[in-house]
Amino acid sequence: MSRILITSALPYINGIKHLGNLAGSMLPADVWARFKRGQGHEVLYICATDEHGTPAELAAAAAGQDVRAYCDEQHEIQRRAGEAFGLSYDWFGRSSSDANRRLTQHFAKVLEERGLIEERVDRMIYSVDDGRFLPDRYVEGTCPHCGHVGARGDQCDNCGRLLDPTDLIDPYSAVSGSRNLEVRDTRHLYLLQTRMADRVRAWVDSKDWPSLAKSIAYKHLDEGLIDRGITRDLKWGVPVVGPDGGPRPGMEGKVFYVWFDAPIEYIGATEEWAEATGNDWRSWWRTDEGAKDVRYVQFMGKDNVAFHSVSFPTTLLGSEEPWKTVDTLKAFNWLNWYGGKFSTSQKRGVFMDQALELLPADYWRWHLTAYGPEGSDAAFTWEQFQSTTNKDLADVLGNFVNRIVKFAESKMDGVVPDGGVPGELEARLEADVRAGIAEATAAFETMEFRKAAQAVRAVWVLGNEYLQVAAPWTALKTDRDAAAVGVRTGLNLVALFARLAAPIMPETAARIAASVGATDLSWPSADEPLLDILPRGQAVAAQGVLFAKIEDAQVAEWSERFGGAE
């Protein structure tokens, strides 16, 4: 049994997350956590709300709330949404926690002691009309690299380049829209990433990451690391302090940059979990206290890779303390909305709470896993969602389960029947099923989720093909023993299909298992018996419709409500 630490990129606090956020970090992290738990490993899945930075202040102001009260409310909304989607966090923390504040200030102190943080006088954007310096995301304008209008002062979402506010063409205040801006002097702390470039490159060289994450990391290393400002002129955040823990002279009222403190919250949230559960967080994060045997896996969208492959490693490695660094970084492309982008700020696309108003979580979990943005960007459309749901879930899985369980209810006294001996057909089925499970297992191990889901689906198809040939409803007319073998094998397939579905569709998997009186939802191992494990005579009972088909009228209604191609 291994110890596996899993983190998914922290969802930002400003509003409930859309399906693209879910598909690109939180859901695959959960599916993989469930898969590894199902194999018997000790898994700790940590996530949290990312609560500091400009958008939190702007969103709170727009809502007419104090920023702390706003974050309290939004954290609870996001926690409930994750729970409703079956996200099996061991802890869902908050970057505004006391633990994260202490850790962030600790890292800043030790990095400065190691010569990796220095104070500089900056030329920053000052809004005369707003009467304040504007941190990066408070400034918007045109990207100097790709010409995208609406680029933020920290990053262009169109081309992915990291920016400084002074890089922008035709900048304006995101607070008021004012273009009455000046460049003035202000003091800030800088993380000297340039001094760590060779060490970070060697660290990335040593990692066996999936290609998307590694290529993004090398892109930033090859372009040349820059020293990054890690403080901002904001009221809400982790306060900048001096060596004695009091206010730092000349930097009163400044806080740490959200991208400095947010990844540290992975550790902070683990400390929160430990305090709440009586566990030891250090054994997961400190290699001198047990974390050396931990495998650490991060999940995130591709736009977050730069900070996790360069900036956060600079913090951990540069501290010269024995912190656990990531072993595998799994990045995802973007899930698009009819070819355009989902957008929290523009409220474009379907959001987690809205999705659950339409259909149960497992419909979405299957589609976003089996057809998610893994090898490339993927477009969500209602038409594809309807087609894949109806074919994969209703026709292949749901139909198989209900068909065989109902037949056992009506023709086999509602129990797993005894009698008959499995033959060549069952032996061939078992060999094919084992090969399919091996394929699914291998794909899950390498975090190729689309491949894994399709391999699972292929095993479901084998069950349908078997029933067509075994045809117990026909055999029953002349040979009850042959019919009993077909039904018994089919019912054992139901129990197996539940186990294969469990990482992706946990709630439905439990219902499928219950239909044949099973409770085991562990992932099947290579050498265990598969097709004759249910006790003879065990009662079975259909659980009703597992997956209702999506009708054309529903697609039309949803397209009208949420839009489509624009």
Side-chain angles (χ1 to χ4, degrees):
M1 186 175 76
S2 300
R3 298 174 69 225
I4 301 170
L5 173 64
I6 298 173
T7 61
S8 53
L10 308 188
Y12 200 69
I13 196 70
N14 63 334
I16 199 157
K17 300 301 103 178
H18 55 64
L19 295 184
N21 300 130
L22 182 66
S25 60
M26 296 176 282
L27 177 57
D30 177 71
V31 170
W32 203 68
R34 289 178 179 276
F35 166 70
K36 298 310 285 185
R37 290 191 194 109
Q39 290 181 312
H41 299 294
E42 183 183 359
V43 172
L44 182 63
Y45 177 21
I46 295 291
C47 195
T49 37
D50 179 4
E51 300 188 8
H52 293 141
T54 308
E57 284 196 0
L58 292 177
Q65 288 180 281
D66 168 78
V67 66
R68 166 65 74 178
Y70 173 82
C71 289
D72 289 347
E73 178 183 282
Q74 293 298 316
H75 171 80
E76 182 58 22
I77 289 171
Q78 292 202 30
R79 187 196 63 76
R80 288 199 303 266
E83 190 175 271
F85 258 97
L87 301 181
S88 59
Y89 306 126
D90 289 284
W91 190 258
F92 188 61
R94 305 182 63 176
S95 69
S96 61
S97 68
D98 290 343
N100 195 45
R101 186 188 70 250
R102 288 194 305 272
L103 283 161
T104 298
Q105 291 171 344
H106 166 79
F107 276 111
K109 181 174 182 287
V110 297
L111 287 168
E112 189 162 17
E113 290 170 353
R114 306 284 186 269
L116 291 173
I117 286 180
E118 72 177 22
E119 197 171 309
R120 294 180 180 177
V121 175
D122 259 348
R123 302 280 287 163
M124 287 191 66
I125 303 289
Y126 184 86
S127 171
V128 176
D129 294 338
D130 296 321
R132 62 181 296 173
F133 284 100
L134 297 178
D136 41 30
R137 289 177 65 118
Y138 275 74
V139 187
E140 295 178 359
T142 300
C143 175
H145 302 289
C146 70
H148 174 64
V149 178
R152 301 190 311 266
D154 63 343
Q155 183 172 327
C156 175
D157 282 342
N158 187 59
C159 69
R161 294 287 287 268
L162 302 181
L163 302 171
D164 282 309
T166 51
D167 296 336
L168 293 171
I169 300 166
D170 298 325
Y172 57 89
S173 166
V175 179
S176 62
S178 172
R179 296 182 184 273
N180 186 13
L181 308 180
E182 297 176 356
V183 178
R184 296 186 181 181
D185 287 349
T186 182
R187 303 188 72 81
H188 281 289
L189 298 180
Y190 272 72
L191 179 62
L192 306 185
Q193 296 185 147
T194 50
R195 294 187 183 176
M196 290 289 291
D198 290 344
R199 188 166 174 193
V200 171
R201 182 182 289 275
W203 176 78
V204 173
D205 288 344
S206 73
K207 299 299 178 182
D208 182 22
W209 294 349
S211 59
L212 178 60
K214 201 143 194 182
S215 65
I216 294 172
Y218 280 132
K219 174 179 180 286
H220 288 279
L221 288 164
D222 292 343
E223 287 173 356
L225 299 189
I226 61 170
D227 298 334
R228 295 291 296 179
I230 58 165
T231 53
R232 293 293 185 268
D233 292 286
L234 286 171
K235 297 182 180 66
W236 174 242
V238 176
V240 177
V241 295
D244 61 352
R248 185 180 179 116
M251 303 199 73
E252 297 84 358
K254 296 183 192 289
V255 300
F256 284 101
Y257 179 34
V258 62
W259 265 112
F260 183 70
D261 85 76
I264 295 169
E265 169 59 8
Y266 296 136
I267 309 172
T270 311
E271 186 176 337
E272 295 171 55
W273 162 80
E275 289 174 358
T277 59
N279 283 286
D280 176 18
W281 68 269
R282 291 174 173 269
S283 70
W284 291 92
W285 281 103
R286 300 278 298 197
T287 58
D288 60 338
E289 299 190 42
K292 192 168 281 188
D293 68 341
V294 169
R295 181 183 180 193
Y296 178 21
V297 182
Q298 293 175 343
F299 290 84
M300 69 196 64
K302 61 185 177 183
D303 52 329
N304 285 339
V305 171
F307 294 102
H308 288 80
S309 62
V310 174
S311 299
F312 188 40
T314 295
T315 296
L316 295 180
L317 297 171
S319 74
E320 302 295 346
E321 295 177 333
W323 294 103
K324 177 68 185 174
T325 59
V326 67
D327 295 299
T328 303
L329 198 162
K330 174 65 176 180
F332 286 80
N333 288 281
W334 283 322
L335 182 70
N336 291 324
W337 176 252
Y338 284 87
K341 286 187 177 178
F342 280 82
S343 172
T344 300
S345 58
Q346 297 173 31
K347 295 182 170 57
R348 190 171 69 221
V350 179
F351 292 75
M352 288 171 67
D353 55 343
Q354 297 167 330
L356 295 179
E357 293 171 11
L358 308 182
L359 291 168
D362 282 351
Y363 289 69
W364 302 101
R365 288 178 62 106
W366 172 258
H367 184 81
L368 296 176
T369 302
Y371 305 95
E374 200 166 353
S376 62
D377 290 353
F380 179 91
T381 68
W382 290 117
E383 294 76 14
Q384 187 202 32
F385 180 54
Q386 175 191 30
S387 173
T388 57
T389 297
N390 291 354
K391 289 176 182 174
D392 297 354
L393 302 184
D395 290 345
V396 176
L397 178 58
N399 179 59
F400 174 86
V401 173
N402 281 327
R403 189 179 181 192
I404 192 63
V405 174
K406 285 182 176 178
F407 185 76
E409 281 185 301
S410 63
K411 304 297 184 183
M412 294 289 172
D413 303 319
V415 299
V416 178
D418 198 0
V421 178
E424 185 181 326
L425 180 62
E426 286 73 34
R428 191 164 63 248
L429 170 68
E430 180 156 358
D432 290 344
V433 165
R434 286 191 186 281
I437 293 172
E439 186 179 340
T441 303
F444 269 131
E445 292 288 6
T446 54
M447 299 169 213
E448 296 176 282
F449 293 94
R450 289 176 67 130
K451 277 188 184 177
Q454 294 313 314
V456 166
R457 184 190 188 279
V459 176
W460 298 340
V461 170
L462 290 173
N464 283 276
E465 292 172 345
Y466 169 77
L467 277 191
Q468 289 301 107
V469 178
W473 35 86
T474 301
L476 186 62
K477 297 172 184 175
T478 57
D479 188 343
R480 184 175 176 84
D481 279 351
V485 170
V487 172
R488 190 166 63 245
T489 303
L491 294 174
N492 275 277
L493 283 172
V494 170
L496 176 64
F497 291 179
R499 294 168 69 185
L500 295 177
I504 304 175
M505 298 183 289
E507 190 274 334
T508 308
R511 288 179 61 205
I512 291 172
S515 70
V516 293
T519 57
D520 180 10
L521 291 177
S522 67
W523 187 258
S525 60
D527 54 357
E528 68 176 284
L530 297 175
L531 301 185
D532 196 11
I533 57 174
L534 294 176
R536 315 291 169 95
Q538 178 162 287
V540 302
Q543 300 292 301
V545 176
L546 295 169
F547 301 102
K549 285 198 171 186
I550 298 173
E551 304 296 338
D552 291 344
Q554 291 172 286
V555 170
E557 177 191 334
W558 299 340
S559 296
E560 178 69 24
R561 177 178 170 187
F562 296 101
E566 288 145 1

